[in-house]
Structures are given as C-alpha cells and as structure tokens.
Amino acid sequence: MKIKKAILPVAGFGTRFLPATKAQPKEMLPVVDKPVIQYLVEEAVASGIEEIIFVTGRGKRAIEDHFDISFELEKTLVEKHKQNALKEVQKIAKLAKFSYVRQPEPLGDGHAILCAKHLVHPGESVAVLFGDDLIDSKVPALKQLIDVHEKYNKSVVALCRVPKEDVHRFGVIDPKCMDGRTCEIQKFVEKPKTKDAPSDLVAVGKYVITPEVFDKLEESMNDKGEIRLANAFVRMIKDNKAIYGHEIDGARYDCGDKFGFVQATIQMGLKHPEIKDKLKKYLEAL
C-alpha cells in the first residue's frame, strides 16, 4: 500500500517558548509568514500524503482554524481586491484531507500516535511528523523516508548528525550496514550521556512506521505511565525486527529551540521573494 496518511502529534505545551506559547500553540509560531505546522503539512503533501491526522490537546483550536475555510476573511479579501492574499489563504484548506483527534492526557509521544490508530487501516504504514524539525531540501525529507520504506518495506527513522556534545538531547542510533545515507539500526538509545552515545546520528522527529510499531507501542508503557516511540523501537530491535534509518539530505532547523527557530526564520527569509533582498542587505550591514 502506498503511504497516504501522516500523523502529526501537536498536543505539547511548548514551554520552551513561554510566554509566547501561553495562549497560542507553539506549532502556530510563524517562520516569516507561515506557521511552523504549515511547513510540515506542505512537506507531507509534496511527499504524496493525502490525509493529515492531527493529534491535538487543549488550547490547539488555532491549528484547526488555520486549516479550515475562513469565510469572513475570504469575503474581506475579495472586497478589498487582495487577490494574491486570497489565493494564499484559500489553498491552505485544500492542501489535504484533515482529521483531528484529541490526546486526553500528555502520556508521551507514543501515546499520541496511538490516539490516531483507529484512523489507520490494519496493515497500513503511515508517516509521523513532529512539529519541531524543519528541513530545507530539494527532495522533501519525508519523501526521502518514503523512498527507503518502499525499497525495504520496514519502518524508517529520519537521521541527522549533530555535534557530539549535543547527543544527550536526542535519541541516538547505532548504525549497521550503511547503504549510502541509509542504514539498519542495531541500537536505539534515548538521550544517552555523551560518553555512552553509540554515534552522532540522531532521530529528528520524522518517521515512517509499519503496523507492527502500533503493536509495540501498546506494550511500551514505562514506569511513569508514559508510552514512548523510542521504547517501541527498542522492543522491535530486541525482537530482531529490522528498522532502517536514513540520514536526511538537507539543512535542518530545530524550531523547538529558540536559536534554531531564529535560524529557520533567517534562512526562510533569505528565500522569500518579498523580503530576501532587504534581509540580505540588513544582515550584511550588521
């Protein structure tokens, strides 16, 4: 089956961006003139995804409104003859078919994925995109993962290299049998100490998961009552179920981090036709 669905867990509080996220979802923070979540949806659609499943929580209504039709706004833009703005607004609701489910409690990223299980057919593999990582690449990052999945018919984890001193912030993999940028994962270590990290290749919040991952998630509750995707991967590896990793070809910006968010804004601004020349001159003058 072709991968046509993507699950986007967006129920987190975004505490690293307080007070900006006190009354709005962190996923709606704008990078130039589009919210972070729209970049991810556009990446998914460019990769062949037709249905987006948002896993939301309290305070996330703005995401639903953003991807819905806004009759009042569109009427105002028509009356003011702002045709370009009207086209930009209208195309958002037409990007894909959107579904929404609620995560009633913050019980981990794996629990969020399980909340969408009933919208996935038995035997169907799906994409999973978390809201922090923007990757600027010629081939969409998710499309790169889907290509690997279609070759091996296994779960695939997006990987990037990070400085050794930063590995403690990520899930780190031990690669085996490298095939260009693709490898089989023989160990998955969640947030290890620097000296214990098996490599500098880390998971960056983009996945293709097979149906068996859902089964492992249901077995993966930790002693805190949380269900973590990383724990499901560990269980699969122990059961000799192959998982592949793919080092993404592209520039990654961590929008869950203040500095990474500013980097993304600058880089996307330098590509934006309306402001790129002014921004370049401003940066050169600093």
Side-chain angles (χ1 to χ4, degrees), residues 107-150:
L107 297 177
D109 55 2
H111 179 263
I113 295 168
L114 279 177
C115 288
K117 182 181 178 181
H118 66 286
L119 296 176
V120 179
H121 295 298
E124 182 180 15
S125 296
V126 296
V128 176
L129 299 175
F130 288 93
D132 288 341
D133 289 291
L134 293 188
I135 295 180
D136 186 16
S137 56
K138 290 182 179 179
V139 177
L142 180 57
K143 180 63 168 63
Q144 296 178 44
L145 300 187
I146 290 174
D147 289 344
V148 175
H149 170 75
E150 291 180 348

Side-chain angles (χ1 to χ4, degrees), residues 75-112:
K75 183 175 181 291
T76 299
L77 293 174
V78 169
E79 291 171 349
K80 294 186 176 182
H81 306 290
K82 295 186 176 183
Q83 295 302 318
N84 290 337
L86 178 63
K87 289 178 181 178
E88 286 296 316
V89 168
Q90 287 179 329
K91 75 179 185 181
I92 295 172
K94 298 176 182 177
L95 284 168
K97 178 182 177 181
F98 297 102
S99 303
Y100 302 88
V101 296
R102 291 286 288 261
Q103 184 182 19
E105 297 179 79
L107 297 177
D109 55 2
H111 179 263

Side-chain angles (χ1 to χ4, degrees), residues 3-270:
I3 294 178
K4 296 298 182 182
K5 295 178 182 177
I7 299 171
L8 277 66
V10 291
F13 291 116
T15 54
R16 282 185 283 180
F17 283 89
L18 286 170
T21 52
K22 180 176 182 288
Q24 69 171 327
K26 68 170 183 175
E27 296 85 3
M28 290 300 296
L29 295 175
V31 174
V32 187
D33 56 0
K34 287 192 294 191
V36 172
I37 194 67
Q38 186 174 332
Y39 285 93
L40 293 180
V41 169
E42 289 175 347
E43 174 191 336
V45 171
S47 302
I49 297 299
E50 297 177 358
E51 182 175 348
I52 304 291
I53 304 168
F54 289 109
V55 182
T56 69
R58 290 183 60 83
K60 301 291 182 169
R61 179 64 184 271
I63 295 174
E64 297 183 35
D65 289 342
H66 182 73
F67 290 100
D68 197 1
I69 294 171
S70 176
F71 175 78
E72 296 85 355
L73 174 60
E74 292 180 18
K75 183 175 181 291
T76 299
L77 293 174
V78 169
E79 291 171 349
K80 294 186 176 182
H81 306 290
K82 295 186 176 183
Q83 295 302 318
N84 290 337
L86 178 63
K87 289 178 181 178
E88 286 296 316
V89 168
Q90 287 179 329
K91 75 179 185 181
I92 295 172
K94 298 176 182 177
L95 284 168
K97 178 182 177 181
F98 297 102
S99 303
Y100 302 88
V101 296
R102 291 286 288 261
Q103 184 182 19
E105 297 179 79
L107 297 177
D109 55 2
H111 179 263
I113 295 168
L114 279 177
C115 288
K117 182 181 178 181
H118 66 286
L119 296 176
V120 179
H121 295 298
E124 182 180 15
S125 296
V126 296
V128 176
L129 299 175
F130 288 93
D132 288 341
D133 289 291
L134 293 188
I135 295 180
D136 186 16
S137 56
K138 290 182 179 179
V139 177
L142 180 57
K143 180 63 168 63
Q144 296 178 44
L145 300 187
I146 290 174
D147 289 344
V148 175
H149 170 75
E150 291 180 348
K151 181 177 180 180
Y152 296 102
N153 197 31
K154 301 294 182 182
S155 296
V156 188
V157 180
L159 304 174
C160 284
R161 295 188 185 274
V162 299
K164 198 74 173 177
E165 60 270 20
D166 291 337
V167 293
H168 68 279
R169 298 171 46 216
F170 300 91
V172 186
I173 68 106
D174 186 5
K176 173 186 175 184
C177 302
M178 295 296 294
D179 175 15
R181 288 180 169 268
T182 303
C183 65
E184 185 177 343
I185 297 174
Q186 60 182 3
K187 185 185 294 185
F188 196 100
V189 185
E190 183 71 2
K191 297 183 179 179
K193 294 181 180 178
T194 301
K195 63 182 180 63
D196 298 327
S199 75
D200 61 352
L201 281 170
V202 304
V204 291
K206 299 176 190 290
Y207 309 88
V208 172
I209 60 172
T210 55
E212 59 192 342
V213 175
F214 284 104
D215 297 333
K216 292 300 179 186
L217 283 171
E218 292 174 335
E219 304 169 6
S220 298
M221 184 176 291
N222 63 23
D223 55 8
K224 296 180 181 179
E226 296 177 329
I227 299 175
R228 310 295 304 189
L229 182 57
N231 293 344
F233 288 150
V234 170
R235 284 175 174 266
M236 289 179 66
I237 293 169
K238 286 182 178 179
D239 291 345
N240 295 315
K241 303 287 188 181
I243 302 173
Y244 284 83
H246 182 75
E247 185 180 352
I248 297 297
D249 185 10
R252 169 183 170 263
Y253 305 105
D254 181 2
C255 289
D257 169 81
K258 290 187 180 73
F259 181 68
F261 188 88
V262 172
Q263 281 183 304
T265 301
I266 292 171
Q267 292 298 330
M268 297 305 177
L270 288 170

